Amino acid sequence: MAQKSKILIIGGTGYIGKYIVEESAHPTFALVRENTASNPEKSKLIESFKSSGVTLLHGDIYHHESLAKAIKQVDGVISALGSPEQIADQVKIVAAIKEAGNIKRFFPSKFGVDVDRAKAVDPIEHHLRVKARIRRSIEAEGVPYTYLVSNGFAGYFLPNYGIALTGGTGSFNFGIALKGGSGSFTAPPRDKVEIIGDGNTKGELNYILSFLSTSPSPLNLFVSIAHAIFVKGNLTNSEVKASFGLEASELYPKVKYTTADEYYQFV
């Protein structure tokens, strides 16, 4: 029986990374910064990693020696870094992988739309360009890679019908978020649903463009995402062709996928 590859997850204590660590079926290593290990809010999560057999490696993407040392102990690297600055600084991971020379596969952190085929306006367009530059850096260095295009996370959008990206005041709105509030994302609104426009289109163009032009940062970022989704249709207008990728159901045909219609039968 072939030995399973060892996987290093960078950003494993973050919003997405913790799920990747928990679901990994391979010998798993998590890169943890010294200050993260001593963070009370993260300590419980780190202890759960340990108890499940995850190997913790102290290091930082901004400390080349520790990063390269960690990478040399594994066969594959998954990045789950989240902030825009960290996304851009994945070039440091690429450089360390190139130096190590032993990595069979690198998954950069670019969860979302296919940045080479998406249509958007700033400020989200700027972030897509940054992710595209990471792709070009990976390819230029000859690092073996897989780009995971997840589009929108269903667990984030479906519970509130996408209201969070239309500026609505149903279960969640941007005003609450910007003021530090905690809008609900756990279930669809029961009493009131705000419809943008006349209800016959996926998004009201004039409303979103007007909102985008008058919104301050960081609200304009979320509005530009709404524009990309509801006006440009970036989550529905892409076709996965054999020349550049595979659709997930082809890779994992035994997995039972839940459609949006099926989801709303149970909520």
Side-chain angles (χ1 to χ4, degrees):
M1 183 176 179
Q3 185 176 5
K4 289 186 176 181
S5 298
K6 298 177 182 178
I7 306 299
L8 173 67
I9 299 173
I10 301 175
T13 61
Y15 175 68
I16 295 174
K18 63 178 179 290
Y19 296 109
I20 299 176
V21 173
E22 291 170 356
E23 297 298 326
S24 175
H26 291 260
T28 305
F29 296 70
L31 190 72
V32 180
R33 291 176 295 181
E34 293 286 352
N35 60 342
T36 300
S38 59
N39 185 332
E41 295 181 3
K42 299 286 187 179
S43 60
K44 185 176 181 180
L45 179 62
I46 290 174
E47 286 303 316
S48 72
F49 287 170
K50 289 180 181 178
S51 63
S52 63
V54 175
T55 301
L56 302 181
L57 300 177
H58 292 294
D60 195 314
I61 66 169
Y62 300 106
H63 187 270
H64 180 77
E65 289 75 14
S66 65
L67 178 60
K69 181 180 178 181
I71 288 173
K72 289 177 181 177
Q73 300 181 53
V74 298
D75 307 298
V77 176
I78 298 175
S79 172
L81 297 175
S83 73
E85 296 78 13
Q86 290 178 324
I87 294 292
D89 287 338
Q90 287 181 110
V91 291
K92 300 180 184 298
I93 301 176
V94 175
I97 289 175
K98 180 69 174 180
E99 178 183 303
N102 60 297
I103 295 303
K104 299 175 183 177
R105 186 68 49 180
F106 173 46
F107 289 74
S109 180
K110 53 165 307 302
F111 309 103
V113 299
D114 186 339
V115 297
D116 286 333
R117 296 170 177 83
K119 298 177 181 179
V121 296
D122 280 330
I124 191 58
E125 167 64 12
H126 168 74
H127 294 287
L128 297 181
R129 290 196 299 269
V130 169
K131 291 183 177 183
R133 286 198 294 271
I134 296 300
R135 282 190 174 191
R136 304 293 87 81
S137 173
I138 293 169
E139 293 158 7
E141 293 294 348
V143 170
Y145 65 86
T146 292
Y147 300 142
L148 177 60
V149 178
S150 60
N151 286 320
F153 290 121
Y156 181 91
F157 292 103
L158 289 183
N160 57 81
Y161 300 130
I163 288 174
L165 287 182
T166 62
T169 57
S171 61
F172 181 85
N173 68 52
F174 295 123
I176 293 175
L178 293 175
K179 294 177 182 177
S182 56
S184 171
F185 284 93
T186 58
R190 302 295 183 182
D191 302 320
K192 177 182 178 183
V193 175
E194 290 202 13
I195 304 293
I196 303 303
D198 63 6
N200 294 316
T201 57
K202 292 184 179 180
E204 180 60 42
L205 177 60
N206 291 334
Y207 171 86
I208 294 179
L209 288 180
S210 174
F211 199 21
L212 178 60
S213 64
T214 59
S215 299
S217 178
L219 178 56
N220 61 344
L221 173 63
F222 295 104
V223 180
S224 67
I225 295 175
H227 180 270
I229 294 173
F230 297 114
V231 178
K232 294 298 185 180
N234 280 302
L235 303 186
T236 59
N237 64 1
S238 59
E239 180 182 355
V240 182
K241 298 182 179 180
S243 60
F244 60 80
L246 286 173
E247 207 279 327
S249 60
E250 296 180 54
L251 288 173
Y252 308 104
K254 294 182 179 180
V255 174
K256 174 63 172 68
Y257 295 92
T258 302
T259 67
D261 287 340
E262 291 171 334
Y263 170 82
Y264 285 124
Q265 292 294 319
F266 298 104
V267 295

